[in-house]
Amino acid sequence: MNLPRGYISYNQVKLYQICPQKYYYTYVEKIPAPINDKVFLGMVFHAVAEHFLKERIAGREQTKDSVLQVFDDKFLSLQDDYDIVWVMPSADVEKRGLAFVKHFLREIANAIDPLMVEEELEVELPGLGIKLKGIIDLVEKDFSITDFKTTTTKWTKEKINNSYLQMVIYKYLFEKSFGDVITQLKFRIVYAKGASNIRNQLVSRNACDFDIDKMFGVLKYVTENISSGVFYKNESFFCGYCEHLDRCQKASSVQTP
Ligand code: SF4
């Protein structure tokens, strides 16, 4: 099957589901697009959590100040890798990020017993002839999988339900690589609009409650459409945040469904 990256991933599926034409601009045309400061902050937070948890696995001691220093270093160095649209002043974004990391250290870190961090896995999907790839934020020693999210508000039930495909994909990747051991699938969401009143939400579900057949159905539908060149505009409120809006308004659909 002909896929632009040679594999499918949750991020690709999510983007295709939001808008096939946006998928086309991003993965087929590879048109570079800036990221907003919230997405950037999420990347920095992930990089800090990864560093912290890998150091814990290695048994190296870390102080609050050393972790905050890692945040400052990553916040600066990662700016070289991305074209960022600063909606808020960068100093305010940095303050919010530091508050997120302090909250993580105070409220979340002690409860984590890491086994694997940022583990990249790839398996061949039987019957579909394609590779499925993913990077799992955290697998703990109780064989639970966690994905960290940073956002402005608490996730709704609808948002949680719509996001669980990501965790089912991670469970599938892990179990095909290491055996059927996964117990829980968790989202750990750190949220606040600014640098104060930081909260976190833990959403946890039993791993066996999820339907792998359903996951296969979604992956089959999306990959067959991509392979056949089915890319159409799916106009929605997401267009207001779309970095390809100007280009899209001047273009017709690449292909209608
Ligand atoms: S502007 Fe809307 S329809 Fe166009 S590519 Fe972006 S999300 Fe899709």
Side-chain angles (χ1 to χ4, degrees):
M1 205 177 265
N2 200 10
L3 297 171
R5 288 263 170 102
Y7 62 85
I8 193 73
S9 64
Y10 172 70
N11 282 344
Q12 289 185 55
V13 172
K14 189 172 77 171
L15 189 57
Y16 190 89
Q17 287 176 326
I18 291 171
C19 177
Q21 183 127 327
K22 186 168 177 177
Y23 178 95
Y24 175 82
Y25 289 140
T26 306
Y27 286 98
V28 181
E29 291 271 316
K30 299 187 184 77
I31 296 170
I35 57 169
N36 70 43
D37 56 19
K38 289 191 182 67
V39 173
F40 176 69
L41 186 60
M43 288 172 171
V44 178
F45 180 87
H46 271 81
V48 176
E50 176 185 353
H51 176 92
F52 173 82
L53 294 170
K54 283 186 171 167
E55 289 293 288
R56 178 173 281 180
I57 289 173
R60 284 189 281 270
E61 203 180 313
Q62 301 168 87
T63 63
K64 180 179 161 190
D65 285 348
S66 71
V67 180
L68 295 179
Q69 186 59 52
V70 172
F71 175 88
D72 278 336
D73 294 345
K74 300 269 182 206
F75 190 82
L76 267 184
S77 64
L78 288 174
Q79 288 183 41
D80 294 338
D81 299 343
Y82 298 97
D83 180 11
I84 306 160
V85 176
W86 296 100
V87 180
M88 281 164 65
S90 68
D92 290 352
V93 177
E94 187 173 8
K95 237 191 250 169
R96 180 167 170 256
L98 281 167
F100 275 16
V101 173
K102 284 179 194 165
H103 180 88
F104 173 81
L105 293 174
R106 195 176 58 241
E107 305 286 338
I108 301 172
N110 287 341
I112 296 176
D113 197 3
L115 176 68
M116 292 177 180
V117 176
E118 290 288 313
E119 189 72 19
E120 181 171 323
L121 298 173
E122 180 182 305
V123 300
E124 180 106 14
L125 290 169
L128 297 185
I130 53 168
K131 286 180 190 153
L132 175 67
K133 221 176 182 174
I135 302 174
I136 303 177
D137 283 354
L138 168 68
V139 182
E140 293 189 68
K141 289 182 182 159
D142 63 358
F143 293 111
S144 62
I145 288 177
T146 299
D147 195 74
F148 294 111
K149 304 286 184 194
T150 56
T151 185
T152 50
T153 52
K154 194 174 175 180
W155 273 17
T156 60
K157 254 191 196 153
E158 191 192 3
K159 171 83 179 153
I160 292 164
N161 289 337
N162 289 341
S163 300
Y164 253 98
L165 175 65
Q166 179 179 18
M167 302 306 277
V168 181
I169 287 176
Y170 289 174
K171 168 181 152 63
Y172 182 82
L173 283 168
F174 190 91
E175 294 193 333
K176 286 294 153 202
S177 305
F178 300 107
D180 292 356
V181 290
I182 293 301
T183 54
Q184 294 280 310
L185 302 175
K186 304 188 229 174
F187 286 115
R188 182 72 85 157
I189 303 139
V190 181
Y191 63 96
K193 288 196 168 70
S196 59
N197 202 21
I198 314 292
R199 316 276 284 274
N200 81 83
Q201 176 186 14
L202 175 64
V203 180
S204 180
R205 290 192 183 167
N206 203 315
C208 61
D209 289 348
F210 292 95
D211 186 351
I212 294 291
D213 288 347
K214 224 173 175 179
M215 176 199 83
F216 264 89
V218 175
L219 293 176
K220 186 171 186 296
Y221 171 79
V222 171
T223 53
E224 283 181 354
N225 274 4
I226 293 169
S227 265
S228 311
V230 178
F231 303 110
Y232 53 91
K233 293 183 186 186
N234 184 25
E235 289 175 52
S236 69
F237 86 99
F238 285 114
C239 296
Y241 305 96
C242 180
E243 51 283 3
H244 300 294
L245 181 60
D246 285 351
R247 181 175 297 106
C248 180
Q249 282 174 335
K250 290 177 199 143
S252 52
S253 278
V254 179
Q255 187 182 321
T256 49

